[in-house]
Amino acid sequence: MIVGIDLGTTNSLIGAMDAGFPVLFADENGCRLTPSALYFPEDATEPVVGWEALEHRETGVLSIKRLMGSRVGEVETTLPVVGRPGEPVRLQVGSQTLSPEEISAFILRKLKVQAERVLGGPVTKAVITVPAYFNDAQRSATKRAGELAGFEVERLLAEPTAAALAYGLDRLGEKSHVAVYDLGGGTFDISVLELSGGVFQVLATNGDTRLGGDDFDRAIAEKFGISLAEAEARKREGGEQIAEVCRPILEKTRLHCLRSLHDAKVDVGQLDEVILVGGSTRMPLVREFVREVFGKEPNVSQHPDEAVALGAAIQAGILSGSVQNVTLLDVTPLSLGIETFGGLMNVLIPRNTTIPCRAGEMFANAAANQTSMRITVLQGEREMARDNWKLGEFVVSFAPAPRGQARVGVQFEIDANGLLQVLARDIATGVDTKVAIESAVEVSDEAVEKMLEDSLEHAFEDMDERVFTEATIKADEMLPAVDKALAALGDKVPESDRAAILAAAGAVRSAKAEKSLSKLKAALADLDRLTEPLAAQLIELAMGS
């Protein structure tokens, strides 16, 4: 038996396939929803989780999902944080100091007990859902939470894909296109899927891992000077004043929706369904907004709080063999690559590549007698390495060799959970260095959502800087080579040709100093043209000697 779990920001659920149908398990009080809340009574060694913890929301822990995979200083929280900036987040909860994954593990353990009570036996394997826009660190933290709770995590499943399964969208016609608008308590995802012959392929995904119903609650509480609990009640009532407060927050999702459609190369008119997921989509304001953005009445046939958990249970059935003829193809939400000479971002796996996937490239030493190469793993959409996130780095050693002769093969592999493993191989010896990338990015999580916007905003200057950097590298390679060739050939180069070549080399140096891309490109083209005959003369000289 493999169970499916929706580990949500506000509520969590657990279920499994039973007689061909996904079933969600209720607790001893008949509730399928378990609040993702934790509270340590005074002097207690074990926490209270769920509905009882929700009664102590002022001193307990809520919305821990927002802190998964984060480091101190990256995110704002009202919870008491322990540690120095840059260290993994730990929280003071009662007398305990706990990481977000340890807190999540308590929630998962409660769900595990719930499932074992219903099934009458041990439950050890699980599928756990994650927002499609969770980065590698957040996915790794979720997997660790599952393992701490005593599960073998068989698969991390993107929430929009799970929702699509729950809606039974495999029954749509050939090449159907579906948008999944998922607005939960703490995260927002928008994904565009293509469904054909039982294959669910995510074409594009976008979102905001720091936007959800919690933000509505806070904005309402601040506007009217009331508690969060009162704000949540006012939100459910709706009304014009509530809509005025919440609309600006909701508007933040518009760009993500449009970008996801653009990336998927799907027009609004080509969508067969727009489905709503997440408790916040119950708000009339949200449904009106979705209708406005997509020009289509949203499909609300499934319970918005339960759709993801039902999909997780179906995926668990697929993995256990009880559900057949359904295949899920997810995508990686952001590009992955390494830093190369000149501070450039070299992409190995582009954003929206279907996973699992593998890609590699060969790199050579940039300096003579170099004995090692530092592999810096990056995630992001900018042209220059410094503007992307550093996921991790390691060093590959090799024997000293002339410039360009030592070769290292670098391979990225993303598994079905979206977790990255990097392999670097010294080609001369065949020695491999393998690294599982689990470190959190060293910038704020808000930058996840800004990354695509920044890549668009700075697209032209980024590309200009990249092209100038590449031209500068070429110039730095050519100028010494030209000087060496002229010295080797001596009077075999006519004086007029030598003067023209030196003048072109001078123009390259001047353009570099001016940092003029247009002049540098033109000067390099001239130098290329003028030095073409030198190559043939050098070969003749070598053969003659």
Side-chain angles (χ1 to χ4, degrees):
M1 172 70 70
I2 304 175
V3 294
I5 298 173
D6 174 9
L7 181 60
T9 307
T10 307
N11 296 297
S12 296
L13 303 95
I14 187 168
M17 294 299 293
D18 183 17
F21 294 94
V23 175
L24 300 181
F25 303 139
D27 63 16
E28 57 276 11
N29 297 315
C31 294
R32 292 191 292 270
L33 288 177
T34 296
S36 301
L38 177 142
Y39 165 70
F40 266 98
E42 195 171 341
D43 299 326
T45 56
E46 285 294 313
V48 173
V49 175
W51 291 104
E52 187 180 343
L54 205 58
E55 296 172 7
H56 301 272
R57 64 173 70 227
E58 301 304 327
T59 53
V61 178
L62 304 177
S63 304
I64 193 60
K65 187 171 177 176
R66 285 179 175 246
L67 299 181
M68 292 291 273
S70 64
R71 292 177 179 263
V72 178
E74 288 181 352
V75 292
E76 292 182 7
T77 177
T78 57
L79 299 169
V81 175
V82 178
R84 294 187 296 246
E87 292 180 343
V89 163
R90 293 188 70 80
L91 302 172
Q92 191 67 46
V93 185
S95 61
Q96 307 282 324
T97 304
L98 301 169
S99 67
E101 44 268 56
E102 287 171 330
I103 293 169
S104 296
F106 281 117
I107 298 167
L108 290 168
R109 281 193 203 107
K110 182 172 178 63
L111 295 174
K112 188 173 187 286
V113 170
Q114 195 167 305
E116 289 174 341
R117 182 184 58 80
V118 173
L119 296 170
V123 174
T124 59
K125 297 183 177 182
V127 169
I128 303 177
T129 62
V130 291
Y133 223 59
F134 255 21
N135 61 33
D136 197 72
Q138 292 165 312
R139 289 170 188 258
S140 296
T142 304
K143 189 171 187 228
R144 285 198 299 275
E147 291 164 349
L148 288 170
F151 287 113
E152 293 175 43
V153 181
E154 298 290 313
R155 180 70 57 86
L156 295 178
L157 175 65
E159 289 166 5
T161 311
L165 279 175
Y167 274 79
L169 295 175
D170 55 307
R171 294 192 295 270
L172 286 172
E174 284 297 299
K175 295 290 183 185
S176 299
H177 293 104
V178 175
V180 181
Y181 185 96
D182 184 351
L183 186 62
T187 58
F188 166 69
D189 273 328
I190 174 67
S191 295
V192 179
L193 297 86
E194 183 176 87
L195 315 174
S196 177
V199 177
F200 287 64
Q201 180 166 6
V202 181
L203 300 180
T205 189
N206 215 298
D208 188 331
T209 58
R210 293 286 179 269
L211 177 67
D214 292 350
D215 299 290
F216 294 150
D217 296 344
R218 277 193 293 271
I220 294 167
E222 288 175 13
K223 173 71 174 177
F224 300 106
I226 55 179
S227 70
L228 282 176
E230 291 172 311
E232 189 175 355
R234 290 280 289 274
K235 178 181 70 176
R236 293 175 188 274
E237 294 169 7
E240 191 174 330
Q241 285 184 312
I242 297 300
E244 286 177 5
V245 174
C246 296
R247 179 78 189 204
I249 298 169
L250 194 57
E251 276 292 339
K252 294 179 182 178
T253 69
R254 185 187 295 271
L255 181 62
H256 297 297
C257 294
L258 299 178
R259 184 61 190 262
S260 195
L261 286 168
H262 176 269
D263 289 346
K265 297 179 175 60
V266 173
D267 293 329
V268 170
Q270 294 176 291
L271 289 175
D272 297 281
E273 290 279 6
V274 178
I275 65 177
L276 298 184
V277 184
S280 297
T281 62
R282 281 198 188 88
M283 295 175 66
L285 171 68
V286 175
R287 297 186 178 189
E288 289 167 15
F289 176 81
V290 171
R291 193 181 304 115
E292 173 190 320
V293 171
F294 293 101
K296 182 180 286 292
E297 195 66 36
N299 182 333
V300 293
S301 60
Q302 283 286 343
H303 192 301
D305 286 321
E306 296 183 352
V308 169
L310 288 169
I314 295 170
Q315 171 63 13
I318 293 169
L319 294 179
S320 66
S322 61
V323 176
Q324 298 178 351
N325 303 321
V326 179
T327 305
L328 303 181
L329 298 175
D330 209 344
V331 295
T332 179
L334 291 169
S335 299
L336 292 155
I338 71 170
E339 180 174 357
T340 54
F341 189 63
L344 299 174
M345 163 69 155
N346 190 88
V347 173
L348 270 68
I349 298 179
R351 175 170 73 88
N352 285 328
T353 296
T354 301
I355 59 174
C357 63
R358 181 185 297 168
E361 199 169 319
M362 198 77 71
F363 298 93
N365 57 324
N369 299 317
Q370 187 177 333
T371 58
S372 65
M373 185 182 296
R374 182 176 296 278
I375 307 293
T376 301
V377 182
L378 303 170
Q379 185 176 36
E381 305 307 316
R382 303 290 296 277
E383 298 293 335
M384 306 305 294
R386 66 170 185 269
D387 297 321
N388 295 295
W389 315 328
K390 185 170 73 173
L391 292 182
E393 61 182 4
F394 59 97
V395 174
V396 180
S397 299
F398 44 79
R403 184 176 182 275
Q405 296 302 304
R407 297 192 175 273
V408 173
V410 178
Q411 178 181 280
F412 281 13
E413 183 172 2
I414 303 180
D415 65 16
N417 295 320
L419 300 177
L420 171 66
Q421 185 176 75
V422 180
L423 178 147
R425 175 173 295 166
D426 177 2
I427 301 303
T429 63
V431 174
D432 288 347
T433 304
K434 275 189 178 181
V435 178
I437 301 296
E438 294 187 349
S439 60
V441 296
E442 296 180 352
V443 295
S444 68
D445 272 353
E446 281 74 8
V448 178
E449 293 76 42
K450 283 186 84 270
M451 180 62 73
L452 292 178
E453 295 172 31
D454 286 351
S455 70
L456 284 174
E457 184 181 342
H458 300 287
F460 292 111
E461 60 252 47
D462 278 5
M463 187 52 68
D464 283 348
E465 185 174 3
R466 183 182 190 97
V467 172
F468 182 78
T469 301
E470 290 172 340
T472 300
I473 292 170
K474 181 178 179 181
D476 290 342
E477 291 173 348
M478 281 192 72
L479 291 172
V482 168
D483 290 342
K484 187 176 179 181
L486 289 175
L489 292 170
D491 57 9
K492 291 184 173 59
V493 180
E495 194 56 41
S496 60
D497 289 352
R498 179 183 293 270
I501 290 169
L502 289 174
V508 169
R509 291 187 175 93
S510 296
K512 262 186 66 184
E514 284 182 45
K515 296 189 176 179
S516 169
L517 175 57
S518 57
K519 288 183 181 179
L520 183 56
K521 287 172 72 175
L524 282 169
D526 282 345
L527 190 59
D528 257 337
R529 177 177 53 80
L530 292 168
T531 54
E532 274 180 18
L534 297 188
Q537 289 176 274
L538 284 169
I539 293 170
E540 287 176 13
L541 183 66
M543 292 177 68
S545 61

